[in-house]
Amino acid sequence: MADEVLEILFDEQQIRARVADLAREITKEYAGRRLVLVSILRGSVFFATDLARQIELPLSMDFLSISSYGEDSEGVVRITKDLEENIAGKDVLVIEDIIDTGFTLKYLLRTLASRNPKSLEVCALLDRRARRIIEIELKYIGFEIPDKFVVGYGLDYRQRYRNLPYIGVLKPD
Ligand code: IMP
Ligand code: MG
């Protein structure tokens, strides 16, 4: 698998350090509160579980799965697995792998906001600003990345490469 990778953008150590920073920030800002981490399947699972282990607050974790219709779906998103937990009145932090155009997240936030959480914020591992179409406020960002397709640490290409411990760019095939 590693010989299919052209370039490593962030190695294990860099990711670990950044996740620890984010967890510290979150622990501080939500002090005295209880968090619901909403991890968006499947890309954010590695990030969410690493982050959760370092947040020193009582929290619960829930998972949501969505599918978009095709390539140019432009915001046509469907929930394929909904949350188990009722988020009304709770402090919700959405954990995403990467924000690209922003369509997925916009739909998601609209849906979650309609359930009346006490607060609703986003923590994204990666932010690819160059391709943003919908402006969204991201409270926490792991890394900003250039306009390249990335894999690893949860991110896939056709369901592969999620288990790479680093984030990298594939060689052209
Ligand atoms: P958006 O709706 O355009 O922001 O798309 C975001 C979603 O597309 C992410 O949650 C990922 O699942 C997927 N995605 C976007 N860019 C990449 C990438 O570089 N690698 C793997 N998945 C990606
Ligand atoms: Mg995703």
Side-chain angles (χ1 to χ4, degrees):
M1 221 169 28
D3 59 357
E4 294 164 53
V5 173
L6 175 71
E7 177 194 1
I8 294 177
L9 295 183
F10 308 104
D11 65 21
E12 271 189 88
Q13 211 181 334
Q14 288 172 298
I15 295 171
R16 204 178 312 120
R18 189 67 192 116
V19 169
D21 284 348
L22 289 170
R24 257 193 303 274
E25 267 185 70
I26 293 166
T27 300
K28 211 163 117 192
E29 284 186 45
Y30 288 88
R33 290 145 82 185
R34 245 192 98 89
L35 259 180
V36 183
L37 295 188
V38 170
S39 165
I40 311 305
L41 296 171
R42 292 169 249 180
S44 80
V45 168
F46 292 68
F47 176 44
T49 58
D50 281 348
L51 189 68
R53 263 176 285 218
Q54 307 230 36
I55 296 175
E56 295 173 27
L57 295 171
L59 61 78
S60 61
M61 291 186 80
D62 207 343
F63 300 87
L64 200 147
S65 187
I66 48 189
S67 76
S68 23
Y69 297 104
E71 271 288 286
D72 293 301
S73 56
E74 307 238 319
V76 185
V77 183
R78 186 169 56 94
I79 292 182
T80 52
K81 183 219 165 289
D82 206 339
L83 299 176
E84 310 278 329
E85 192 166 339
N86 179 357
I87 58 168
K90 300 187 182 159
D91 289 305
V92 175
L93 184 59
V94 173
I95 314 294
E96 250 294 31
D97 52 359
I98 181 166
I99 314 301
D100 192 43
T101 63
F103 279 117
T104 310
L105 192 62
K106 191 202 166 190
Y107 166 82
L108 214 84
L109 291 178
R110 199 190 322 125
T111 304
L112 295 180
S114 73
R115 300 177 187 180
N116 301 311
K118 182 167 149 213
S119 70
L120 180 60
E121 301 287 356
V122 179
C123 176
L125 174 64
L126 303 174
D127 182 10
R128 194 194 284 118
R129 288 215 59 91
R131 287 175 42 87
R132 191 66 38 79
I133 296 173
I134 309 276
E135 268 316 312
I136 301 170
E137 198 202 318
L138 304 175
K139 181 122 192 226
Y140 306 99
I141 294 168
F143 304 99
E144 293 196 12
I145 60 162
D147 192 4
K148 292 175 179 174
F149 190 86
V150 295
V151 296
Y153 196 62
L155 290 119
D156 75 303
Y157 173 63
R158 298 185 174 165
Q159 297 308 326
R160 286 190 57 204
Y161 309 103
R162 291 193 199 274
N163 57 328
L164 288 175
Y166 48 80
I167 296 166
V169 179
L170 291 175
K171 288 177 186 164
D173 46 29

